[in-house]
Amino acid sequence: MTVRQGAERRHETAETVARTVAARAESLRSADPRTAMKLSVAAWRLAPVPEARNALQRSLGQTDLGAFTDPGQSGGAAYRLADDGKSLLKQRSDQVEVWDLSTERRTAEHRLPVPADAWTSLTGDGRVYAAGDEAAVRMWNLESGAEIEGEWPGGKPALHARGELVSISNGFRTRLYRAGGDAGGGGGPLLDVTDRAITTSPTAAGRRCPR
């Protein structure tokens, strides 16, 4: 009888702990998705109670896999996620930082003359950064902090082909330029689209855009 009662108590304790762990997993679902998934599995292993099963099922359908909290949060900071989702750029005044989201470590920090209201663009790998206003577009290599040589007109920039090309939109006009990556770029537009008119540059003929 004593052995049976002991086993029942252990079973009840395991179920109670499993419910507690499952509840904790649900409370962390948004703030810390990765930990929530681990706790859901732990709850199910402790005891297959309904709460643990529900937590496990929610983990299977969970789209968020991680969360990043800026350790130096401050007012007025703007954030931009790289296209590949691996790097995060933080800009506050002229201070620009790049964070590796997989390691949650800052990989670069530079002071760049970027206007507070500038339009910005970031390559998928987080390596090249462009900022533009009505006067001009400027670009930088965020690994070194060096400005990429070239002259581009004002407008809203969008980087393409790992920073080799940049399109600049201003009103109903969009122009495509060679950015040249670290080697620099500028020059005349390779493509000029104004309303319904499309103009191509002779220098772009026969060239293939990098992939």
Side-chain angles (χ1 to χ4, degrees), residues 81-177:
L81 185 66
D83 291 343
D84 62 5
K86 296 179 180 179
S87 300
L88 180 72
L89 182 139
K90 173 187 176 182
Q91 179 184 343
R92 184 175 184 275
S93 186
D94 63 348
Q95 188 76 22
V96 174
E97 301 175 7
V98 181
W99 290 81
D100 184 326
L101 296 181
S102 61
T103 61
E104 297 189 1
R105 292 184 177 181
R106 185 170 52 199
T107 57
E109 181 178 8
H110 306 290
R111 300 188 78 88
L112 306 178
V114 178
D117 57 348
W119 295 294
T120 62
S121 180
L122 184 68
T123 53
D125 57 9
R127 192 176 61 88
V128 180
Y129 179 58
D133 55 17
E134 295 292 344
V137 168
R138 301 173 68 178
M139 300 184 213
W140 291 268
N141 180 320
L142 292 181
E143 291 181 330
S144 63
E147 184 170 0
I148 297 173
E149 294 183 3
E151 294 185 3
W152 297 274
K156 183 178 181 179
L159 291 161
H160 312 282
R162 302 186 303 277
E164 295 292 331
L165 300 173
V166 60
S167 60
I168 301 174
S169 300
N170 198 326
F172 294 101
R173 185 179 189 183
T174 298
R175 288 167 285 183
L176 181 68
Y177 292 87

